[in-house]
Amino acid sequence: MTWFDTLPLDYSEARTRNALRSLKRVYRDQDQLKQITKLSGVDASKINFNKAPNLLPMDVMDRAAAQGRMTHLLVEVLSDASSAAIHDDLWKLLGENAPLIHEQALATRADFDRIAALPSPSTYAVNGTPGGLEKIVNLLAKFNDPALFRFELAQREARIVRVEISGVGKGTGWLVSPDLMLTAYHVISPATHNWDQVRVRLDYKFVPQLEGLLLGKGREVKLADQPLLAHSGHAPKAIELSEAGPDASLLDFALVRLAEPVGSQGLGPQGQGDEPRGHFELPAMEHAFHTDEGLFVLGHPQLKGDKDAGPLKFTFAVPGEAEKTKHACRVRYSVNTEGGNSGSPVMDQEFRPLALHHAGAQGQPQWDQKNRWEGGFNQGIPLHLIVGAIRDQVEEPTLAALGLQ
Protein backbone atom coordinates (compact mmCIF):
# COMPACT_ATOMS: atom_id res chain seq x y z
CA MET A 1 0.00 0.00 0.00
CA THR A 2 1.31 3.44 -0.94
CA TRP A 3 1.16 6.63 1.08
CA PHE A 4 -1.53 8.04 -1.24
CA ASP A 5 -4.02 5.17 -1.01
CA THR A 6 -3.91 4.69 2.77
CA LEU A 7 -7.35 5.00 4.36
CA PRO A 8 -7.67 7.42 5.97
CA LEU A 9 -4.72 9.46 4.68
CA ASP A 10 -1.98 9.56 7.28
CA TYR A 11 -0.74 13.15 7.60
CA SER A 12 1.86 12.09 10.14
CA GLU A 13 3.59 10.43 7.17
CA ALA A 14 6.07 12.95 5.71
CA ARG A 15 5.16 12.35 2.06
CA THR A 16 1.43 12.81 2.67
CA ARG A 17 2.07 15.94 4.69
CA ASN A 18 4.42 17.35 2.03
CA ALA A 19 1.93 16.59 -0.74
CA LEU A 20 -0.73 18.55 1.13
CA ARG A 21 1.72 21.41 1.66
CA SER A 22 2.47 21.43 -2.07
CA LEU A 23 -1.22 21.59 -3.01
CA LYS A 24 -1.73 24.49 -0.64
CA ARG A 25 1.09 26.37 -2.39
CA VAL A 26 -0.58 26.44 -5.80
CA TYR A 27 -4.31 25.93 -5.23
CA ARG A 28 -5.34 29.11 -3.48
CA ASP A 29 -8.54 29.64 -5.41
CA GLN A 30 -11.84 27.82 -4.83
CA ASP A 31 -12.62 27.61 -8.56
CA GLN A 32 -9.26 25.97 -9.26
CA LEU A 33 -9.92 23.35 -6.61
CA LYS A 34 -13.44 22.74 -7.92
CA GLN A 35 -12.06 22.16 -11.41
CA ILE A 36 -9.34 19.76 -10.25
CA THR A 37 -11.88 17.88 -8.13
CA LYS A 38 -14.26 17.56 -11.08
CA LEU A 39 -11.53 16.41 -13.49
CA SER A 40 -10.43 13.79 -10.96
CA GLY A 41 -13.91 12.29 -10.89
CA VAL A 42 -14.27 13.03 -7.19
CA ASP A 43 -17.78 13.56 -5.83
CA ALA A 44 -17.58 17.08 -4.47
CA SER A 45 -21.08 17.18 -3.01
CA LYS A 46 -19.71 16.70 0.52
CA ILE A 47 -16.95 19.30 0.18
CA ASN A 48 -17.78 22.77 1.50
CA PHE A 49 -16.07 25.05 -1.02
CA ASN A 50 -17.08 28.10 1.00
CA LYS A 51 -14.31 27.29 3.47
CA ALA A 52 -11.12 29.30 3.56
CA PRO A 53 -9.07 28.21 0.49
CA ASN A 54 -6.12 27.05 2.61
CA LEU A 55 -8.37 24.47 4.30
CA LEU A 56 -9.81 23.02 1.10
CA PRO A 57 -6.82 20.99 -0.25
CA MET A 58 -7.01 18.61 2.73
CA ASP A 59 -10.76 18.13 2.18
CA VAL A 60 -10.17 17.39 -1.50
CA MET A 61 -7.39 14.89 -0.72
CA ASP A 62 -9.47 13.16 1.96
CA ARG A 63 -12.48 12.90 -0.32
CA ALA A 64 -10.36 11.57 -3.18
CA ALA A 65 -8.82 8.94 -0.90
CA ALA A 66 -12.23 7.88 0.41
CA GLN A 67 -13.43 7.29 -3.15
CA GLY A 68 -10.24 5.57 -4.30
CA ARG A 69 -9.47 8.49 -6.64
CA MET A 70 -6.13 9.70 -5.27
CA THR A 71 -4.20 8.46 -8.31
CA HIS A 72 -6.69 10.34 -10.51
CA LEU A 73 -6.19 13.47 -8.42
CA LEU A 74 -2.41 13.18 -8.71
CA VAL A 75 -2.64 12.71 -12.50
CA GLU A 76 -4.68 15.91 -12.80
CA VAL A 77 -2.41 17.95 -10.53
CA LEU A 78 0.73 16.74 -12.32
CA SER A 79 -0.72 17.67 -15.72
CA ASP A 80 -2.12 21.05 -14.66
CA ALA A 81 0.02 23.83 -16.13
CA SER A 82 -1.00 26.18 -13.32
CA SER A 83 0.58 23.84 -10.74
CA ALA A 84 3.91 23.40 -12.56
CA ALA A 85 5.78 24.88 -9.58
CA ILE A 86 5.12 21.75 -7.50
CA HIS A 87 5.43 19.04 -10.16
CA ASP A 88 9.07 18.19 -9.41
CA ASP A 89 8.33 17.96 -5.69
CA LEU A 90 5.37 15.64 -6.27
CA TRP A 91 7.33 13.34 -8.56
CA LYS A 92 9.98 13.02 -5.85
CA LEU A 93 7.25 12.15 -3.34
CA LEU A 94 5.92 9.46 -5.69
CA GLY A 95 9.33 7.87 -6.18
CA GLU A 96 8.97 4.21 -7.18
CA ASN A 97 5.20 4.69 -7.53
CA ALA A 98 5.56 7.00 -10.55
CA PRO A 99 4.60 4.18 -13.00
CA LEU A 100 1.20 3.96 -11.31
CA ILE A 101 0.49 7.54 -12.31
CA HIS A 102 1.55 6.96 -15.90
CA GLU A 103 -0.57 3.80 -16.15
CA GLN A 104 -3.55 5.67 -14.71
CA ALA A 105 -3.15 8.42 -17.31
CA LEU A 106 -3.15 5.89 -20.14
CA ALA A 107 -5.97 3.85 -18.64
CA THR A 108 -8.23 6.90 -18.54
CA ARG A 109 -7.21 7.93 -22.09
CA ALA A 110 -5.85 11.22 -20.86
CA ASP A 111 -5.79 14.22 -23.16
CA PHE A 112 -2.54 15.25 -24.80
CA ASP A 113 -1.45 18.03 -22.48
CA ARG A 114 -1.91 15.64 -19.54
CA ILE A 115 0.23 12.90 -21.10
CA ALA A 116 2.82 15.43 -22.22
CA ALA A 117 3.29 16.49 -18.60
CA LEU A 118 4.21 12.97 -17.51
CA PRO A 119 7.72 11.48 -17.62
CA SER A 120 8.74 9.49 -20.66
CA PRO A 121 7.61 5.87 -20.27
CA SER A 122 11.09 4.76 -21.29
CA THR A 123 12.32 5.83 -17.86
CA TYR A 124 10.68 2.88 -16.16
CA ALA A 125 8.99 -0.44 -16.82
CA VAL A 126 5.32 -0.40 -17.78
CA ASN A 127 3.23 -3.37 -16.65
CA GLY A 128 6.46 -5.02 -15.53
CA THR A 129 7.94 -5.07 -19.04
CA PRO A 130 10.95 -2.81 -19.56
CA GLY A 131 10.67 -0.86 -22.81
CA GLY A 132 7.09 -2.02 -23.25
CA LEU A 133 6.20 1.09 -25.25
CA GLU A 134 9.22 1.13 -27.56
CA LYS A 135 7.01 1.06 -30.68
CA ILE A 136 5.33 4.33 -29.75
CA VAL A 137 7.61 6.94 -31.31
CA ASN A 138 5.27 9.88 -30.66
CA LEU A 139 3.28 9.49 -27.45
CA LEU A 140 0.93 12.31 -28.46
CA ALA A 141 -0.07 10.87 -31.86
CA LYS A 142 -3.11 8.83 -30.95
CA PHE A 143 -4.61 5.71 -32.52
CA ASN A 144 -7.92 6.62 -34.18
CA ASP A 145 -10.88 4.34 -34.61
CA PRO A 146 -11.81 5.13 -38.25
CA ALA A 147 -15.57 4.86 -37.77
CA LEU A 148 -15.49 7.15 -34.73
CA PHE A 149 -13.12 9.52 -36.51
CA ARG A 150 -15.50 9.85 -39.49
CA PHE A 151 -18.47 10.39 -37.18
CA GLU A 152 -16.76 13.08 -35.12
CA LEU A 153 -15.34 14.81 -38.19
CA ALA A 154 -18.82 14.92 -39.76
CA GLN A 155 -20.19 16.46 -36.56
CA ARG A 156 -17.59 19.24 -36.61
CA GLU A 157 -18.03 19.88 -40.35
CA ALA A 158 -21.66 20.78 -39.74
CA ARG A 159 -20.63 23.46 -37.22
CA ILE A 160 -18.27 25.34 -39.58
CA VAL A 161 -19.57 28.26 -41.66
CA ARG A 162 -18.20 30.34 -44.52
CA VAL A 163 -18.36 34.06 -43.70
CA GLU A 164 -19.45 36.12 -46.71
CA ILE A 165 -19.47 39.87 -47.34
CA SER A 166 -21.59 41.01 -50.29
CA GLY A 167 -21.71 37.43 -51.53
CA VAL A 168 -17.92 36.86 -51.48
CA GLY A 169 -16.41 34.35 -49.08
CA LYS A 170 -13.99 36.16 -46.77
CA GLY A 171 -13.23 33.67 -44.03
CA THR A 172 -14.41 30.99 -41.65
CA GLY A 173 -16.54 30.93 -38.52
CA TRP A 174 -17.83 28.22 -36.20
CA LEU A 175 -20.84 27.77 -33.98
CA VAL A 176 -20.19 28.11 -30.24
CA SER A 177 -23.87 28.08 -29.24
CA PRO A 178 -27.08 27.54 -31.23
CA ASP A 179 -27.04 31.14 -32.50
CA LEU A 180 -23.52 32.41 -31.75
CA MET A 181 -20.52 32.23 -34.07
CA LEU A 182 -16.83 32.85 -33.39
CA THR A 183 -14.55 34.16 -36.13
CA ALA A 184 -11.51 36.42 -36.53
CA TYR A 185 -12.37 40.08 -36.18
CA HIS A 186 -10.38 41.07 -39.27
CA VAL A 187 -12.68 38.83 -41.36
CA ILE A 188 -15.78 40.90 -40.59
CA SER A 189 -14.28 44.31 -39.72
CA PRO A 190 -14.78 45.69 -43.27
CA ALA A 191 -18.56 45.30 -42.83
CA THR A 192 -19.09 46.58 -39.30
CA HIS A 193 -20.63 49.78 -40.70
CA ASN A 194 -23.24 47.76 -42.63
CA TRP A 195 -24.02 44.37 -41.12
CA ASP A 196 -26.64 43.64 -43.77
CA GLN A 197 -23.76 42.81 -46.15
CA VAL A 198 -22.75 39.83 -44.02
CA ARG A 199 -24.08 36.29 -44.35
CA VAL A 200 -22.85 32.93 -43.18
CA ARG A 201 -23.14 29.82 -45.31
CA LEU A 202 -23.61 26.37 -43.81
CA ASP A 203 -22.62 23.10 -45.50
CA TYR A 204 -20.66 24.66 -48.36
CA LYS A 205 -18.66 21.58 -49.33
CA PHE A 206 -18.14 18.83 -51.88
CA VAL A 207 -20.47 15.85 -51.45
CA PRO A 208 -19.57 12.40 -52.89
CA GLN A 209 -21.84 11.22 -55.72
CA LEU A 210 -21.82 8.09 -57.89
CA GLU A 211 -20.01 9.90 -60.70
CA GLY A 212 -17.72 12.06 -58.60
CA LEU A 213 -18.23 15.09 -56.40
CA LEU A 214 -21.09 17.55 -56.24
CA LEU A 215 -20.52 21.00 -54.75
CA GLY A 216 -23.26 21.60 -52.22
CA LYS A 217 -24.13 25.29 -52.08
CA GLY A 218 -25.42 24.90 -48.55
CA ARG A 219 -27.68 27.29 -46.72
CA GLU A 220 -27.36 31.06 -46.28
CA VAL A 221 -28.15 32.61 -42.89
CA LYS A 222 -28.36 36.29 -41.95
CA LEU A 223 -26.94 37.92 -38.84
CA ALA A 224 -29.12 39.24 -36.03
CA ASP A 225 -29.65 42.97 -35.52
CA GLN A 226 -26.65 44.49 -33.72
CA PRO A 227 -24.85 41.14 -33.99
CA LEU A 228 -21.39 41.94 -32.59
CA LEU A 229 -21.39 40.93 -28.91
CA ALA A 230 -17.66 40.88 -28.15
CA HIS A 231 -14.51 41.51 -30.14
CA SER A 232 -10.86 42.49 -30.16
CA GLY A 233 -8.64 43.84 -32.93
CA HIS A 234 -5.19 42.68 -33.99
CA ALA A 235 -1.71 44.17 -33.93
CA PRO A 236 0.08 45.40 -37.08
CA LYS A 237 1.41 42.57 -39.25
CA ALA A 238 5.03 43.33 -38.34
CA ILE A 239 4.24 42.84 -34.66
CA GLU A 240 1.88 39.86 -35.12
CA LEU A 241 4.57 37.93 -37.02
CA SER A 242 7.56 39.14 -35.03
CA GLU A 243 9.61 36.78 -32.89
CA ALA A 244 7.90 37.82 -29.64
CA GLY A 245 4.49 38.47 -31.17
CA PRO A 246 1.97 40.91 -29.63
CA ASP A 247 0.77 41.10 -26.06
CA ALA A 248 -2.67 39.94 -24.92
CA SER A 249 -4.40 43.31 -25.37
CA LEU A 250 -5.33 42.41 -28.99
CA LEU A 251 -6.83 38.99 -29.69
CA ASP A 252 -8.41 39.33 -33.18
CA PHE A 253 -11.74 37.63 -32.45
CA ALA A 254 -15.43 38.41 -32.93
CA LEU A 255 -18.41 36.82 -31.20
CA VAL A 256 -21.39 37.30 -33.52
CA ARG A 257 -25.09 36.47 -33.15
CA LEU A 258 -26.94 34.84 -36.04
CA ALA A 259 -30.56 35.57 -36.94
CA GLU A 260 -31.49 31.91 -36.35
CA PRO A 261 -30.50 29.29 -33.74
CA VAL A 262 -29.10 27.03 -36.45
CA GLY A 263 -27.19 24.91 -33.92
CA SER A 264 -30.42 23.63 -32.44
CA GLN A 265 -32.06 23.10 -35.83
CA GLY A 266 -31.87 19.92 -37.88
CA LEU A 267 -29.13 19.09 -40.37
CA GLY A 268 -31.56 18.89 -43.30
CA PRO A 269 -32.47 21.66 -45.77
CA GLN A 270 -33.74 24.81 -44.02
CA GLY A 271 -33.06 23.26 -40.62
CA GLN A 272 -35.26 20.21 -41.07
CA GLY A 273 -34.59 16.82 -39.49
CA ASP A 274 -34.38 15.30 -36.04
CA GLU A 275 -30.57 15.38 -35.72
CA PRO A 276 -29.48 18.80 -34.39
CA ARG A 277 -26.47 20.50 -35.93
CA GLY A 278 -24.89 21.19 -32.54
CA HIS A 279 -22.04 23.54 -31.66
CA PHE A 280 -18.50 23.56 -30.29
CA GLU A 281 -17.84 24.06 -26.59
CA LEU A 282 -15.37 26.78 -25.69
CA PRO A 283 -12.64 25.72 -23.24
CA ALA A 284 -12.32 27.73 -20.05
CA MET A 285 -8.90 26.36 -19.08
CA GLU A 286 -5.55 27.00 -20.72
CA HIS A 287 -4.18 24.28 -22.98
CA ALA A 288 -0.52 23.31 -22.56
CA PHE A 289 0.47 23.08 -26.23
CA HIS A 290 3.14 20.48 -26.99
CA THR A 291 5.23 20.33 -30.16
CA ASP A 292 4.47 16.61 -30.67
CA GLU A 293 0.68 16.72 -30.50
CA GLY A 294 -1.38 16.59 -33.68
CA LEU A 295 -3.49 19.57 -34.72
CA PHE A 296 -6.49 19.76 -37.06
CA VAL A 297 -8.01 22.76 -38.89
CA LEU A 298 -11.43 22.90 -40.57
CA GLY A 299 -12.15 25.93 -42.70
CA HIS A 300 -12.78 27.56 -46.06
CA PRO A 301 -9.39 28.34 -47.67
CA GLN A 302 -8.87 30.33 -50.86
CA LEU A 303 -7.07 27.83 -53.06
CA LYS A 304 -5.34 28.26 -56.45
CA GLY A 305 -5.21 32.02 -56.16
CA ASP A 306 -8.97 32.38 -55.71
CA LYS A 307 -10.21 35.57 -54.06
CA ASP A 308 -13.26 33.72 -52.72
CA ALA A 309 -13.10 31.43 -49.68
CA GLY A 310 -13.83 28.02 -51.15
CA PRO A 311 -15.55 24.81 -50.05
CA LEU A 312 -14.78 23.28 -46.67
CA LYS A 313 -11.33 21.70 -46.32
CA PHE A 314 -9.68 19.65 -43.58
CA THR A 315 -5.95 20.07 -42.93
CA PHE A 316 -3.76 18.56 -40.23
CA ALA A 317 -0.21 18.06 -39.02
CA VAL A 318 1.08 15.31 -36.72
CA PRO A 319 3.16 16.54 -35.02
CA GLY A 320 1.70 20.03 -35.19
CA GLU A 321 4.93 21.62 -33.85
CA ALA A 322 2.90 24.01 -31.70
CA GLU A 323 4.90 26.65 -29.87
CA LYS A 324 3.66 29.68 -27.95
CA THR A 325 5.14 33.13 -28.43
CA LYS A 326 6.99 35.06 -25.74
CA HIS A 327 3.84 36.53 -24.19
CA ALA A 328 1.93 33.22 -24.59
CA CYS A 329 -0.94 34.99 -26.37
CA ARG A 330 -0.23 33.46 -29.78
CA VAL A 331 0.54 29.86 -30.74
CA ARG A 332 2.41 28.95 -33.92
CA TYR A 333 2.08 25.63 -35.74
CA SER A 334 2.81 23.80 -38.99
CA VAL A 335 -0.75 22.99 -40.13
CA ASN A 336 -1.35 24.22 -43.71
CA THR A 337 -3.79 27.09 -44.18
CA GLU A 338 -4.60 29.68 -46.84
CA GLY A 339 -6.47 32.97 -46.98
CA GLY A 340 -10.05 32.22 -46.00
CA ASN A 341 -8.95 29.97 -43.15
CA SER A 342 -8.91 33.00 -40.86
CA GLY A 343 -11.43 32.35 -38.11
CA SER A 344 -11.08 28.54 -38.32
CA PRO A 345 -10.89 26.44 -35.16
CA VAL A 346 -7.53 24.82 -34.45
CA MET A 347 -8.38 21.48 -32.82
CA ASP A 348 -6.62 18.61 -31.11
CA GLN A 349 -6.99 14.99 -32.22
CA GLU A 350 -10.19 14.71 -30.17
CA PHE A 351 -11.65 17.58 -32.25
CA ARG A 352 -11.65 19.89 -29.23
CA PRO A 353 -11.01 23.54 -30.20
CA LEU A 354 -7.79 24.97 -28.76
CA ALA A 355 -7.13 28.16 -30.73
CA LEU A 356 -8.62 30.53 -33.30
CA HIS A 357 -6.57 30.65 -36.51
CA HIS A 358 -5.94 34.16 -37.79
CA ALA A 359 -2.56 34.63 -39.52
CA GLY A 360 0.45 33.04 -41.16
CA ALA A 361 3.92 33.78 -42.54
CA GLN A 362 5.45 32.25 -45.67
CA GLY A 363 9.15 31.49 -45.76
CA GLN A 364 11.68 31.65 -42.97
CA PRO A 365 11.45 34.82 -40.86
CA GLN A 366 14.64 36.88 -40.55
CA TRP A 367 14.51 36.54 -36.78
CA ASP A 368 14.45 32.71 -36.90
CA GLN A 369 18.12 32.06 -36.10
CA LYS A 370 17.35 28.53 -34.86
CA ASN A 371 15.74 27.50 -38.18
CA ARG A 372 12.55 26.67 -36.30
CA TRP A 373 10.28 27.93 -39.09
CA GLU A 374 12.22 27.37 -42.33
CA GLY A 375 9.01 27.09 -44.36
CA GLY A 376 7.05 29.68 -42.41
CA PHE A 377 4.35 29.16 -39.79
CA ASN A 378 0.67 29.61 -39.12
CA GLN A 379 -0.64 31.35 -36.04
CA GLY A 380 -3.68 31.33 -33.77
CA ILE A 381 -4.95 32.82 -30.54
CA PRO A 382 -5.30 30.40 -27.58
CA LEU A 383 -8.99 30.13 -26.80
CA HIS A 384 -8.73 30.53 -23.04
CA LEU A 385 -7.61 34.13 -23.65
CA ILE A 386 -10.58 34.76 -25.94
CA VAL A 387 -12.89 33.24 -23.34
CA GLY A 388 -11.49 35.64 -20.75
CA ALA A 389 -12.12 38.61 -23.04
CA ILE A 390 -15.66 37.42 -23.77
CA ARG A 391 -16.37 37.20 -20.03
CA ASP A 392 -15.39 40.86 -19.71
CA GLN A 393 -17.64 42.04 -22.55
CA VAL A 394 -20.93 40.12 -22.44
CA GLU A 395 -23.85 39.76 -20.05
CA GLU A 396 -24.78 36.70 -17.99
CA PRO A 397 -27.38 35.31 -20.47
CA THR A 398 -24.72 35.16 -23.17
CA LEU A 399 -22.25 33.47 -20.83
CA ALA A 400 -24.95 30.94 -19.96
CA ALA A 401 -25.58 30.25 -23.67
CA LEU A 402 -21.84 29.64 -24.10
CA GLY A 403 -21.66 27.36 -21.05
CA LEU A 404 -19.23 29.74 -19.35
CA GLN A 405 -21.10 30.56 -16.14
Side-chain angles (χ1 to χ4, degrees), residues 139-158:
L139 190 61
L140 301 187
K142 65 171 290 188
F143 291 90
N144 288 303
D145 181 296
L148 182 60
F149 184 88
R150 290 193 301 270
F151 173 77
E152 293 186 341
L153 177 58
Q155 276 192 326
R156 274 55 172 198
E157 288 176 26

Side-chain angles (χ1 to χ4, degrees), residues 1-17 19 61 64-66 68-74 90-104:
M1 180 172 288
T2 63
W3 61 268
F4 52 82
D5 59 14
T6 302
L7 279 177
L9 289 174
D10 181 7
Y11 292 100
S12 67
E13 213 278 354
R15 288 175 294 181
T16 310
R17 189 168 60 253
M61 286 179 62
R69 308 289 295 183
M70 269 298 293
T71 54
H72 297 75
L73 178 64
L74 289 167
L90 282 182
W91 283 118
K92 290 177 183 176
L93 294 176
L94 289 168
E96 70 278 6
N97 296 308
L100 294 175
I101 302 303
H102 192 276
E103 289 176 6
Q104 183 63 54

Side-chain angles (χ1 to χ4, degrees), residues 142 144 146 148-158 160 172 204-206 280 294-303 310-318 334-338 341 344-352:
K142 65 171 290 188
N144 288 303
L148 182 60
F149 184 88
R150 290 193 301 270
F151 173 77
E152 293 186 341
L153 177 58
Q155 276 192 326
R156 274 55 172 198
E157 288 176 26
I160 305 293
T172 301
Y204 184 55
K205 61 182 180 180
F206 285 107
F280 288 90
L295 296 176
F296 297 160
V297 171
L298 270 170
H300 290 275
Q302 300 167 348
L303 299 179
L312 187 66
K313 299 292 182 184
F314 172 60
T315 55
F316 63 93
V318 183
S334 59
V335 187
N336 288 332
T337 66
E338 285 282 6
N341 272 122
S344 298
V346 181
M347 301 171 287
D348 66 12
Q349 291 174 100
E350 304 284 352
F351 292 101
R352 293 172 296 200

Side-chain angles (χ1 to χ4, degrees), residues 32-213:
Q32 283 182 302
L33 280 164
K34 283 183 181 178
Q35 183 69 10
I36 280 293
T37 303
K38 179 180 178 181
L39 290 173
S40 305
V42 175
D43 179 7
S45 62
K46 296 184 179 179
I47 298 176
N48 179 11
F49 283 99
N50 293 319
K51 278 186 177 181
N54 68 314
L55 301 177
L56 284 171
M58 178 180 287
D59 286 1
V60 170
M61 286 179 62
D62 287 342
R63 191 66 189 154
Q67 292 182 237
R69 308 289 295 183
M70 269 298 293
T71 54
H72 297 75
L73 178 64
L74 289 167
V75 164
E76 296 302 336
V77 171
L78 287 164
S79 61
D80 181 5
S82 71
S83 68
I86 64 170
H87 287 180
D88 286 345
D89 290 341
L90 282 182
W91 283 118
K92 290 177 183 176
L93 294 176
L94 289 168
E96 70 278 6
N97 296 308
L100 294 175
I101 302 303
H102 192 276
E103 289 176 6
Q104 183 63 54
L106 295 180
T108 55
R109 299 189 64 176
D111 57 20
F112 303 115
D113 51 349
R114 177 188 307 178
I115 297 176
L118 303 176
S120 167
S122 63
T123 60
Y124 47 73
V126 177
N127 293 330
T129 306
L133 294 181
E134 72 275 11
K135 293 181 181 179
I136 305 297
V137 296
N138 180 354
L139 190 61
L140 301 187
K142 65 171 290 188
F143 291 90
N144 288 303
D145 181 296
L148 182 60
F149 184 88
R150 290 193 301 270
F151 173 77
E152 293 186 341
L153 177 58
Q155 276 192 326
R156 274 55 172 198
E157 288 176 26
R159 300 165 188 175
I160 305 293
V161 304
R162 185 174 83 153
V163 180
E164 302 175 356
I165 300 178
S166 299
V168 178
K170 293 296 185 179
T172 301
W174 39 293
L175 299 176
V176 291
S177 90
D179 66 344
L180 297 177
M181 171 193 75
L182 193 66
T183 187
Y185 181 67
H186 77 262
V187 169
I188 60 167
S189 59
T192 53
H193 63 287
N194 184 2
W195 288 111
D196 195 51
Q197 300 176 74
V198 184
R199 301 285 189 275
V200 301
R201 188 173 297 276
L202 304 163
D203 305 324
Y204 184 55
K205 61 182 180 180
F206 285 107
V207 181
Q209 299 291 303
L210 289 176
E211 300 297 327
L213 296 175

